[in-house]
Amino acid sequence: MQIKQFDSVNELTTAVAKEIIESVKANPKLVLGLSTGSSPIGVYSAMVRDHKENGTSYKEVTTFNLDEYVGLEPSDVNSYRHFMNEQLFDHIDIPKEQTHVPMGIGDLVDNCKKYEEKIRAAGGIQLQLLGIGTNGHIAFNEPGASFDSLTHIEQLTEDTVSANVKFFKSEDQVPRQAITMGIQSILNCRRIILMAYGAKKAKVVKEMVEGPISPAVPASVLQKHGDVTLFLDNESTALL
Ligand code: GLP
């Protein structure tokens, strides 16, 4: 795993945005994997700013998001589809039909199968952006998740529910299940950028980088991938 360390969150998010923008410029038909949570918000605003100021175009880019809550309509303000539209898609020139977020309503098993088919039909994800949960999850693959999983339905742990309550009015509103790309779907991505910052992530960053590869810390599986770059700040690297 390659590590890039930054003195500030602003420098870190700017650098991640730059990587994505350069990849889009090098390949205007990039198949780009995106993530949610608070970590990528600064990345998306830097991409929007660059699109407005420098005209980087996303007209031919295809995106796949990692996950979505079960039971939320795409129009729900707490859905990851809504988050992505609001943070990024509504402000760049990507046609919405080229943006994919798993569907958390309807026939969930069929939605999972179709999502993998769509990724395959697009030729696979070339660059995937990841965050990391304080319990080591990537996307919504919680501790214990199988390493050979594809897109599936996942039961969220209480840790994750508490960590994500910041986006909801109260804890009982946080869905307890999600549709998520699996660990194998993530390992299939050609190149991975994982970003993490803040003291809260220091313990899990150490486990991901130095710990044994174990389903107890799903992100540790990234040690097996040949092209992963970690974008970290000084606080999240404090225990390395
Ligand atoms: C959610 C998402 C993950 C994300 C994680 C970290 O649970 N499903 O993809 O990496 O949150 O969130 P944050 O960036 O808010 O710490």
Side-chain angles (χ1 to χ4, degrees), residues 104-153:
I105 50 166
D107 183 339
L108 301 181
V109 173
D110 193 51
N111 293 353
C112 293
K113 198 170 138 252
K114 294 222 171 89
Y115 204 66
E116 285 292 332
E117 284 167 8
K118 274 190 205 156
I119 295 173
R120 221 170 304 128
I125 295 170
Q126 290 161 320
L127 174 61
Q128 175 67 56
L129 178 62
L130 289 181
I132 183 169
T134 45
N135 67 356
H137 74 219
I138 42 175
F140 268 133
N141 293 281
E142 296 283 37
S146 141
F147 281 175
D148 54 18
S149 58
L150 295 173
T151 301
H152 64 284
I153 303 158

Side-chain angles (χ1 to χ4, degrees), residues 4-12 232-235 237:
K4 292 194 178 185
Q5 193 175 331
F6 299 87
D7 289 332
S8 72
V9 173
N10 187 39
E11 283 170 70
L12 189 162
L232 306 170
D233 71 340
N234 295 335
E235 289 184 357
T237 50

